[in-house]
Amino acid sequence: MKVEVFRHTIADNVLVGSYCVFSNQGGLVHPQTPVTDQDELSSLLQVPLMAGTINRGSSVLGAGMVVNDWSAFCGLATTSTELSVVESVFKLGDLGQSAVAGALRTSLVESMT
C-alpha cells in the first residue's frame, strides 16, 4: 500500500484504534494521554488533537463514535459537553449545509467517473 506507518501508544494502550478517533480535520484521544504525546501525535499527523471522552465518560472512543470530514455519529449516552468537544475538534460546525451537500456531491461525482 506504500503508506507510512508510525508505532505509537495512546495513554499506554497498544489498541490505538479503540482509544483515539481521527479525521482529516482533527483528532480525539484518551483523556489520560499526556500532553507531550498529544503534541507528538499532532505534529506527526498534522491535525489538532484534544483529549476527551464519549458516551458519558467512556474513554473507549472508537467504540462510541465514528467521524469523517463532514459528520460524526456518537452513542446515545453522549453528553452535550462531549458533543461540543467533538464538534470543536473535528470542525463540524464550520461548514454550512449547502457546503456539505456540495462537497458530498462533488466527491460522489468524482468517484463515479
Side-chain angles (χ1 to χ4, degrees):
M1 292 178 68
K2 298 182 182 178
V3 176
E4 193 171 3
V5 177
F6 301 102
R7 286 186 172 264
H8 212 285
T9 60
I10 303 291
D12 295 325
N13 294 296
V14 294
L15 299 174
V16 294
S18 297
Y19 295 100
C20 65
V21 179
F22 294 105
S23 77
N24 291 324
Q25 304 300 318
L28 192 63
V29 296
H30 188 285
Q32 294 177 346
T33 305
V35 175
T36 55
D37 287 356
Q38 289 180 42
D39 291 340
E40 182 181 351
L41 279 171
S42 180
S43 66
L44 281 172
L45 300 172
Q46 298 297 304
V47 294
L49 293 182
M50 189 177 292
T53 60
I54 207 74
N55 278 339
R56 228 178 268 283
S58 173
S59 59
V60 188
L61 303 170
M65 71 174 295
V66 63
V67 66
N68 65 18
D69 291 344
W70 299 289
S71 62
F73 295 92
C74 303
L76 287 175
T78 303
T79 66
S80 60
T81 304
E82 291 169 335
L83 285 175
S84 67
V85 168
V86 167
E87 286 179 345
S88 155
V89 73
F90 294 110
K91 300 178 183 140
L92 296 176
D94 293 348
L95 298 175
Q97 289 294 335
S98 60
V100 171
L104 284 171
R105 187 178 303 113
T106 302
S107 67
L108 283 172
V109 169
E110 287 175 0
S111 68
M112 296 177 91
T113 57

